Each structure stands twice: as C-alpha cells, then as structure tokens.
Amino acid sequence: MDSILSEFESLNNNNNPPFGVVVTNNTLQNLVVGSSSSSSSSSSSSRYENQKRRDWNTFCQYLKNHRPPLALSRCSGAHVLEFLRYLDQFGKTKVHTPICPFYGHPNPPAPCPCPLRQAWGSLDALIGRLRAAFEENGGMPEANPFGARAVRLYLREVRDLQSKARGISYEKKKRKRPQQQQIAQSSNGN
C-alpha cells in the first residue's frame, strides 16, 4: 500500500496523460493482474484482501488525479467506464479487429498490428474487488458505481468481443448433476 502511494506521490505531474490521470505501468500491473509482490500489510490478510486494498487505493488515487479531481461520492458508472478504458492501454491481451486475417483464431501464426487490451477476466475480477471494497469503505450498495448497469453491460460487451476476436469461448460451464440424480432420471425415463 505504501509503495503505491509513494509511487503516485513521486510522479511528475507536468505530463498530461489521457483523462488527466497519472498512473505508472507498475501500478496498473498490480491493479489489474494482482502482482504478488510483498507489501507492509499484516500477514493475517489474505491475498485477495491485500489485492482488494491495493485496487481500492489505486482507484481512489485515480479519482484524486482526475482532472478535475473527483470525489468518490460523485463517482458514477461513467467514471468507472472511463477508468476501465484508460486501463486498456496497459493491456497484454491481443484482441483482433474484424478486418484482421487472424480474427477468431486463438493462436495466430504470425504477428499483426491489432491492439493489446486488458483481458476480460482481469477486468471482471477487478470490478468484483472494487465493488466489494466500495461497500466495505462505507458506500451504500444502491449507490455503488461498480455495480452500475453500464459497467455490467460494458463487461459483457468486452467478453463477447474478445471471445469472437480470439476464438475463445467464455460461456459458463454447465454444472454436472450429482451421480445419484442422473441414475434416478435415466431409470424413470426408460
């Protein structure tokens, strides 16, 4: 936690990045991927709790560095979408465009100029952690910007786009019925 805050404090604010926010590549890797670097937190916290705290601190810093600065109470689903789109520039997942010859191929045989994006699974996990952190830090569930309809729709759109572009299915796997129920149903059906 201290390393993230000191990293932000040491940034040069003379640069004007997109959306008026200054964030470094290392901070974003910790935020989205969940870097396993050690921090000065207590050993009783789980890896998930530590990551959730880092994510929350980074998002709060994003709001603070936003131009104009944005109070958490004024944050909406639109601001969360702006944050997610900003994170895309630091992604490592190749997402082919429909005009790319490798569109729909999970393992393309050659390089292409398609953009790198944040993977859907990373964004989905990030939003889940931030949604929980918002409520743990005193936010009301009905005012949670991370649970906004626009955020859910955006995540679904990213999942579908990446699924088609990379030729990978993100469909939920159907749960297998317990063995005893299957036997009972097959004997009733015959």
Side-chain angles (χ1 to χ4, degrees):
M1 178 171 95
D2 295 331
S3 64
I4 292 175
L5 294 176
S6 62
E7 193 171 329
F8 277 111
E9 291 168 358
S10 67
L11 293 175
N12 180 356
N13 289 327
N14 293 334
N15 298 336
N16 292 324
F19 307 113
V21 178
V22 179
V23 182
T24 67
N25 217 357
N26 289 341
T27 303
L28 288 169
Q29 185 175 6
N30 284 343
L31 174 73
V32 178
V33 176
S35 174
S36 60
S37 64
S38 63
S39 67
S40 61
S41 64
S42 68
S43 60
S44 63
S45 295
S46 70
R47 183 175 171 188
Y48 170 81
E49 291 297 325
N50 290 335
Q51 186 63 47
K52 183 169 54 173
R53 187 181 61 254
R54 284 193 300 269
D55 293 345
W56 180 250
N57 289 338
T58 304
F59 183 75
C60 289
Q61 193 66 46
Y62 171 85
L63 294 178
K64 188 176 174 183
N65 291 338
H66 192 275
R67 296 292 174 246
L70 188 60
L72 184 60
S73 60
R74 310 255 328 165
C75 182
S76 69
H79 296 108
V80 173
L81 293 181
E82 181 181 289
F83 178 63
L84 294 178
R85 289 185 186 111
Y86 172 73
L87 292 179
D88 257 348
Q89 68 182 309
F90 303 99
K92 297 177 183 174
T93 300
K94 179 77 75 168
V95 180
H96 301 288
T97 61
I99 60 170
C100 177
F102 305 129
Y103 183 79
H105 294 276
N107 300 309
C112 68
C114 293
L116 294 173
R117 303 265 189 236
Q118 291 293 340
W120 166 76
S122 296
L123 293 177
D124 189 49
L126 171 66
I127 290 299
R129 290 189 302 267
L130 289 173
R131 188 174 183 175
F134 179 85
E135 294 175 18
E136 288 173 11
N137 286 281
M140 300 301 294
E142 58 274 5
N144 193 331
F146 304 102
R149 184 174 191 268
V151 174
R152 290 193 315 270
L153 291 174
Y154 176 78
L155 287 175
R156 186 179 310 150
E157 183 180 308
V158 168
R159 181 193 66 197
D160 294 345
L161 181 117
Q162 289 187 8
S163 176
K164 290 175 187 169
R166 299 175 61 218
I168 298 171
S169 175
Y170 289 121
E171 298 300 318
K172 287 185 177 178
K173 301 206 180 345
K174 293 184 180 179
R175 281 191 344 193
K176 292 184 178 178
R177 293 183 179 184
Q179 193 69 15
Q180 204 171 29
Q181 282 183 344
Q182 287 178 342
I183 294 169
Q185 285 182 347
S186 64
S187 63
N188 288 343
N190 289 337

